[in-house]
Amino acid sequence: MASLSFCVSVLYPNCAQSRSVEHEMPTAYCVKCKTSIEIKDPQNVTLKNGKPAVKGVCPNCGTSVFRIGKA
C-alpha cells in the first residue's frame, strides 16, 4: 500500500498535497444569527449511531450550535 501512495504522489504531486488537511475551525449555521459561523469552543462528539459531530457556541450571540458529520 505504501508503494501505491508513492506512485500516486509521484504521478500527481498536486493531488497528494491537496489531501493534507490543515486544522481549520469548524463551521456551523447559527439559527439565531441566520449565518454560517466558526464554532467557538468546539467539542468533538459521537452520536448514538456512531456518526461524528461537533458542538459548540456561536461567538456572536452565545447560542449553542451543532454540526453533524465533521469531527
Side-chain angles (χ1 to χ4, degrees), residues 26-44:
T27 60
Y29 182 79
C30 179
V31 178
K32 200 171 189 181
C33 297
K34 297 180 181 174
T35 60
S36 182
I37 51 97
E38 289 186 355
I39 299 175
K40 179 181 174 186
D41 301 328
Q43 298 175 341
N44 293 334

Side-chain angles (χ1 to χ4, degrees), residues 4-56:
L4 179 62
S5 63
F6 174 74
C7 292
V8 171
S9 64
V10 170
L11 295 174
Y12 304 104
N14 293 335
C15 182
Q17 288 177 345
S18 65
R19 282 213 171 267
S20 65
V21 178
E22 295 178 13
H23 293 294
E24 56 185 44
M25 294 296 293
T27 60
Y29 182 79
C30 179
V31 178
K32 200 171 189 181
C33 297
K34 297 180 181 174
T35 60
S36 182
I37 51 97
E38 289 186 355
I39 299 175
K40 179 181 174 186
D41 301 328
Q43 298 175 341
N44 293 334
V45 293
T46 304
L47 303 178
K48 288 181 184 178
N49 61 2
K51 289 188 178 184
V54 178
K55 70 177 182 176

